[in-house]
Amino acid sequence: MNILQKQADFGRTIFEINQNAMQESFRTQQQNWQKYFELNSSFGQRLPEVKDVSTFVELQREYGSTLWENTKEATQVQTEIVKSAMTEAGEAVRKVFNNDSE
């Protein structure tokens, strides 16, 4: 395989990795926003149940805890997407340089 073909294949592979990572990232971000709006709606519907300060504080504590867990999960998913893309890109680079040495 000539060098121009190898460069074209490498460019195509990197483009596909980037495209797939971005699509996955956008999809998960969309799901995260949907979760966020559902969370706010759910807790908003529970506000009329609040009759005293302690109930309000407990509702706030539950909301904060749920929001934190969802944020932590979203961050972990995004991190895994980036790690996977970096691993794939590294493999593509190694493949190009391993083929050159042969």
Side-chain angles (χ1 to χ4, degrees):
M1 186 181 296
N2 69 25
I3 189 125
L4 293 176
Q5 183 63 37
K6 286 180 186 181
Q7 290 175 341
D9 289 346
F10 177 68
R12 188 173 18 266
T13 300
I14 294 297
F15 177 80
E16 289 171 0
I17 291 168
N18 287 335
Q19 182 181 21
N20 292 339
M22 291 301 291
Q23 286 175 343
E24 185 69 17
S25 179
F26 287 141
R27 186 182 63 74
T28 58
Q29 287 178 13
Q30 181 181 21
Q31 291 171 347
N32 293 336
W33 278 107
Q34 185 176 5
K35 276 185 185 179
Y36 175 72
F37 288 124
E38 289 171 1
L39 176 70
N40 285 336
S41 176
S42 170
F43 278 91
Q45 291 172 357
R46 292 175 55 192
L47 276 176
E49 300 170 8
V50 174
K51 303 295 181 203
D52 58 5
V53 173
S54 63
T55 307
F56 179 73
V57 169
E58 183 58 36
L59 185 63
Q60 279 293 103
R61 186 175 294 131
E62 185 181 341
Y63 174 80
S65 174
T66 304
L67 184 62
W68 173 250
E69 288 301 317
N70 288 348
T71 302
K72 202 164 67 169
E73 179 185 329
T75 302
Q76 289 170 342
V77 169
Q78 291 294 327
T79 300
E80 287 302 316
I81 291 170
V82 171
K83 279 183 182 178
S84 176
M86 292 300 291
T87 301
E88 290 178 42
E91 290 170 2
V93 168
R94 281 189 292 280
K95 181 179 175 184
V96 167
F97 284 104
N98 284 341
N99 285 341
D100 282 345
S101 64
E102 292 175 356

